[in-house]
């Protein structure tokens, strides 16, 4: 990935259309079909079928492009002046990129819906909750436009049920985008592929190869079933870009699949990663990370002072420290606040040590610490070191002068 980045920078290819660099365009089409086949995406998403893929910079760009395509498709039917009726749906766990894309695309901020999730669904968006929100909007004369389903949410790697959500969307003619920015890479492994079951009913799908696939930033892989929708919404054709290849309609001009005109030769680094490691090595790499996360989860389970807040799905463990004497602080707000503050202090002290670094999030009002395995050089010894650091800092907090009680080892 690093070598590919150096080469693409050195070549300085500006591949905005096929004519400016046929090699860059053709290689991108090839690697997108390769990766799509590794994921077992339906042929309707591949160039070898009726769809196709493009390398965007980030998920923010991928969502904005697909949302713009969805917007124009509907406005062509109901009239440009009806944009104020369009509604966009995500969950309260969906990445903020969706809301930002909606703002840029001209969706009324009052028409952005963050469907509430619950711990009972592991914070995945339920089809029943989406249907209720959509039906309420249609009863008010609004037009459901776009729903973003997530496979591996940012906060807790929750997985939205694609099949049931697509069914709701199909009933109302909505565009479905699947954001698998983090967890999509893992789905090249047969044992994780089921997490994207139902993707055949979606309109677009994206993952970030720069997150968990050996590839350097930036490299977001976007597949669409109907490339024509993207082209109609995003293309311009000034005289100075006219050429016989484009007019033949036999080539791909990637400028019409993205926001900007110019683009980098991202395909080179992804091609190098795929060719250098191969499918088997990439799968083993991902499985090793998941195994190390399982190891950390097992260490947590053996220490009753800690609680795994949400089930571990991939290579991230979300946990918290319980107060001395055990218990989650009760259901009352004051007790929860106290436990949240305890974990806030724990994370601050761990990160201040400079030995490991972890992040936090809050789901369902619960502050949790997130242990993520994802670096290419991480080994079991690093996981064991991290656990020792967590234990040492937990000891210091629970046995400090401000706390009463003694923990059980």
């Amino acid at each position: 990935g690093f070598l590919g980045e150096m080469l693409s920078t050195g070549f300085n290819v500006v591949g905005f259309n096929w004519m400016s660099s046929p090699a860059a365009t053709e290689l991108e089409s090839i690697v997108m079909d390769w990766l799509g086949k590794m994921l077992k995406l339906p042929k309707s998403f591949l160039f070898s079928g009726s769809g196709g893929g493009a390398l965007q910079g980030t998920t923010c760009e991928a969502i904005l492009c697909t949302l713009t395509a969805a917007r124009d498709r509907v406005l062509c039917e109901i009239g440009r002046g009806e944009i104020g009726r369009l509604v966009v749906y995500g969950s309260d766990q969906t990445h903020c990129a969706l809301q930002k894309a909606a703002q840029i695309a001209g969706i009324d901020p009052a028409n952005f819906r963050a469907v509430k999730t619950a711990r009972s669904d592991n914070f995945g968006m339920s089809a029943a909750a989406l249907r209720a929100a959509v039906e309420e909007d249609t009863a008010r004369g609004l037009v459901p436009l776009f729903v973003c389903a997530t496979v591996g949410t940012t906060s807790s790697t929750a997985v939205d049920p694609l099949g049931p959500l697509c069914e709701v969307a199909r009933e109302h003619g909505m565009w479905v985008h699947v954001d698998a920015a983090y967890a999509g890479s893992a789905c090249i492994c047969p044992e994780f592929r089921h997490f994207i079951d139902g993707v055949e009913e979606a309109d677009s799908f994206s993952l970030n190869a720069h997150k968990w696939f050996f590839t350097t930033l930036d490299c977001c892989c976007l597949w669409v079933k109907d490339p024509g929708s993207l082209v109609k919404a995003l293309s311009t054709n000034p005289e100075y870009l006219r050429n016989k290849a484009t007019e033949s309609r036999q080539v791909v001009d990637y400028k019409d699949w993205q926001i900007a005109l110019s683009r980098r030769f991202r395909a080179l680094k992804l091609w190098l990663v795929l060719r250098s490691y191969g499918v088997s090595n990439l799968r083993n790499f991902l499985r090793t990370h998941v195994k190390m996360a399982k190891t950390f989860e097992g260490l947590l389970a053996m220490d009753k002072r800690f609680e795994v807040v949400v089930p571990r799905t991939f290579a991230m463990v979300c946990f918290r420290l319980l107060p001395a004497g055990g218990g989650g602080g009760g259901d009352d707000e004051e007790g929860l606040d106290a436990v949240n503050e305890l974990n806030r202090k724990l994370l601050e002290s761990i990160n201040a040590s400079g030995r490991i670094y972890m992040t936090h999030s809050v789901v369902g009002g619960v502050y949790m610490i997130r242990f993520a395995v994802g670096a290419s050089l991480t080994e079991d010894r690093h996981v064991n070191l991290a656990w020792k650091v967590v234990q040492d800092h937990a000891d210091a907090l629970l046995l400090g002068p401000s706390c009463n009680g003694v923990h059980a080892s």
Side-chain angles (χ1 to χ4, degrees):
F2 180 75
L3 175 61
E5 188 69 61
M6 287 201 306
L7 288 171
S8 63
T9 300
F11 291 151
N12 196 32
V13 172
V14 186
F16 48 83
N17 62 6
W18 186 91
M19 182 60 76
S20 67
S21 182
T25 302
E26 297 294 338
L27 189 63
E28 186 160 336
S29 299
I30 288 168
V31 297
M32 289 303 291
D33 265 20
W34 279 358
L35 187 51
K37 289 173 181 176
M38 289 166 65
L39 291 162
K40 289 185 166 48
L41 291 181
K43 284 199 78 170
S44 54
F45 278 105
L46 308 180
F47 284 110
S48 55
S50 54
L55 291 173
Q56 305 281 344
T58 65
T59 299
C60 299
E61 295 169 45
I63 292 177
L64 177 57
C65 290
T66 54
L67 177 56
T68 303
R71 179 200 67 188
D72 283 13
R73 187 174 69 177
V74 170
L75 291 181
C76 283
E77 296 177 5
I78 66 174
R80 288 275 174 181
E82 300 297 317
I83 190 171
R85 295 171 59 203
L86 302 182
V87 188
V88 172
Y89 302 83
S91 81
D92 55 8
Q93 300 300 311
T94 303
H95 194 277
C96 60
L98 177 63
Q99 188 170 7
K100 187 172 186 176
Q103 290 172 203
I104 296 171
I107 304 301
D108 187 335
N111 289 353
F112 178 81
R113 305 284 180 262
V115 177
K116 190 171 178 57
T117 59
R119 194 167 186 173
S120 57
D121 295 315
N122 294 326
F123 298 102
M125 176 165 46
S126 79
L130 174 63
R131 177 175 276 107
V134 169
E135 289 177 351
E136 183 179 335
D137 286 330
T138 54
R140 294 169 52 207
L142 299 177
V143 179
L145 170 69
F146 187 96
V147 59
C148 182
T150 308
V151 177
T153 58
T154 304
S155 287
S156 64
T157 68
V159 177
D160 293 339
L162 301 189
L165 294 178
C166 286
E167 185 178 335
V168 175
R170 188 168 59 250
E171 293 170 8
H172 297 274
M174 301 166 67
W175 183 297
V176 179
H177 177 74
V178 178
D179 170 16
Y182 161 70
S185 298
C187 295
I188 68 168
C189 301
E191 65 268 32
F192 297 119
R193 174 55 177 77
H194 67 93
F195 287 116
I196 58 171
D197 283 353
V199 68
E200 61 275 4
E201 298 298 328
D203 297 277
S204 51
F205 176 88
S206 64
L207 69 83
N208 288 352
H210 60 246
K211 273 192 166 66
W212 199 14
F213 209 70
F214 275 129
T215 312
T216 53
L217 194 76
D218 52 3
C219 192
C220 173
C221 307
L222 169 67
W223 291 268
V224 291
K225 272 186 178 175
D226 180 16
S229 294
L230 277 185
V231 173
K232 286 176 187 174
L234 301 171
S235 67
T236 53
N237 195 26
E239 182 61 37
Y240 49 81
L241 291 179
R242 293 182 187 275
N243 62 85
K244 289 183 178 179
T246 296
E247 290 167 3
S248 74
R249 298 184 182 276
Q250 299 299 308
V251 299
V252 174
D253 286 340
Y254 273 125
K255 70 180 179 63
D256 299 330
W257 293 50
Q258 63 176 28
I259 299 165
L261 173 65
S262 299
R263 63 201 320 270
R264 301 173 64 243
F265 190 7
R266 298 185 184 97
L268 185 58
K269 57 187 175 185
L270 188 55
W271 179 81
L272 273 165
V273 166
L274 294 174
R275 293 288 290 170
S276 299
Y277 293 96
V279 180
S280 294
N281 283 330
L282 287 167
R283 284 174 175 162
N284 289 336
F285 160 74
L286 295 162
R287 286 168 176 149
T288 299
H289 283 177
V290 173
K291 184 180 177 183
M292 285 189 277
K294 280 184 180 177
T295 297
F296 189 82
E297 183 182 37
L299 293 169
L300 280 168
M302 290 190 292
D303 190 329
K304 300 306 179 186
R305 298 176 298 166
F306 294 92
E307 174 190 40
V308 176
V309 179
V310 292
R312 182 203 51 75
T313 310
F314 301 102
M316 186 169 81
V317 183
C318 302
F319 69 97
R320 65 174 178 164
L321 175 65
L322 301 176
D331 295 327
D332 62 287
E333 188 175 333
E334 186 177 342
L336 181 58
D337 287 345
V339 181
N340 286 349
E341 182 59 27
L342 176 69
N343 282 276
R344 193 174 289 112
K345 288 178 179 177
L346 175 60
L347 181 60
E348 285 176 2
S349 66
I350 288 171
N351 288 342
S353 73
R355 301 182 72 192
I356 61 171
Y357 188 84
M358 292 188 290
T359 58
H360 83 282
S361 191
V362 177
V363 292
V366 175
Y367 183 101
M368 60 188 190
I369 300 170
R370 302 181 300 169
F371 174 85
V373 181
S376 56
L377 299 178
T378 304
E379 299 175 357
D380 287 328
R381 61 190 177 90
H382 298 120
V383 176
N384 292 327
L385 168 68
W387 174 236
K388 186 177 186 310
V389 171
V390 170
Q391 281 192 309
D392 289 347
H393 285 267
D395 288 340
L397 265 181
L398 294 180
L399 298 176
S402 62
C403 298
N404 296 316
V406 180
H407 77 272
S409 297

